[in-house]
Amino acid sequence: MTVRAVLVLVLAVAFALAPVLGPSFAGYDPAQFPVRIEEPPVQPAGYAFAIWGVIYLWLVVSAAFGLWRRRDDAGWDATRLPLIVSLGVGVPWLAVALASPLWATAMIWTMLVGALVALIRTPSRDLWLLRAPVGLYAGWLTAASAVSLGLLAAGWGLPPFGPVGWAFAALAVGIVVAAAMLLRRPSLLYGVAVAWALVAVTVRNGLSPLGLFALVAALAVLGLALARLRRERAP
């Protein structure tokens, strides 16, 4: 258990340092795709990516607390292997994204699966030190994975949709994943992260059909998160 706890902390720190010590990344370069799209409608407005600062810090704090006070706790340990997989793939993700959106998309979906499994396994104790940071991380990865899928499909010009159609399809995939996750494991911070990304899609697209779709979806995800939380806490 101690070895896994140490690995989670080391990887959480490395994950947080990757954007500082490694190459800068401001989204996929349109030139990386056969179909050049300068303003992808599926991508959230730039301010939304500031959530990573909170995610990095909270994951490091959680991992440090887990090693310090919960290294032999079975509930905490159940989350560590999937977190090790997710964070381990996440450390080199920025460098890969600069070279290959295809491999970066495969990697971010791997990160998502690990984060979702970890979230499902979180115990009811220490909610703000484990489930909350893992939920925020998994929620943002849910949105980011869907966005990456939409960018890939539109950038390769895959039929039958164009950029806006693939944006609708990709966001729908993310919403289905989010709903399934919330039904399986209530987590307010998971819902907040998904809704944060969806609202940022609305900010980018305005009150267009896609922007309105993202806004309604954000409200629905938040509503489901709150409803599931109330139901879990009901006597």
Side-chain angles (χ1 to χ4, degrees):
M1 289 187 182
T2 300
V3 172
R4 286 191 290 266
V6 170
L7 267 176
V8 170
L9 178 56
V10 169
L11 288 172
V13 171
F15 188 50
L17 290 177
V20 178
L21 302 179
S24 60
F25 180 77
Y28 297 133
D29 186 338
Q32 291 177 290
F33 300 97
V35 178
R36 191 181 183 99
I37 304 171
E38 296 294 341
E39 297 287 337
V42 73
Q43 188 161 295
Y47 76 87
F49 294 90
I51 195 175
W52 272 118
V54 180
I55 292 170
Y56 290 140
L57 179 60
W58 212 344
L59 285 175
V60 170
V61 169
S62 174
F65 178 82
L67 177 60
W68 176 41
R69 298 297 298 271
R70 299 288 186 266
R71 69 174 69 91
D72 295 320
D73 186 285
W76 276 70
D77 196 60
T79 70
R80 287 179 178 134
L81 185 56
L83 273 179
I84 287 168
V85 172
S86 183
L87 294 173
V89 174
V91 172
W93 186 86
L94 289 175
V96 173
L98 291 172
S100 171
L102 182 61
W103 279 108
T105 299
M107 289 173 68
I108 203 168
W109 276 90
T110 303
M111 293 165 64
L112 172 62
V113 170
L116 292 178
V117 172
L119 180 57
I120 289 170
R121 293 180 179 182
T122 53
S124 57
R125 67 182 302 191
D126 301 319
L127 288 179
W128 291 101
L129 285 165
L130 184 57
R131 186 175 297 176
V134 172
L136 194 70
Y137 173 56
W140 181 256
L141 283 179
T142 298
S145 298
V147 166
S148 191
L149 199 62
L151 289 170
L152 202 66
W156 255 265
L158 298 182
F161 307 126
V164 174
W166 277 117
F168 273 107
L171 292 182
V173 169
I175 293 162
V176 168
V177 173
M181 184 67 238
L182 288 169
L183 291 172
R184 181 71 171 81
R185 169 62 72 201
S187 168
L188 179 59
L189 271 294
Y190 178 87
V192 166
V194 175
W196 172 266
L198 289 168
V199 168
V201 173
T202 299
V203 170
R204 173 176 283 274
N205 291 276
L207 297 180
S208 65
L210 180 62
L212 289 172
F213 174 75
L215 181 59
V216 171
L219 295 174
V221 168
L222 270 181
L224 178 59
L226 289 169
R228 291 290 295 140
L229 204 60
R230 283 197 297 268
R231 183 173 178 179
E232 186 181 57
R233 292 179 176 177

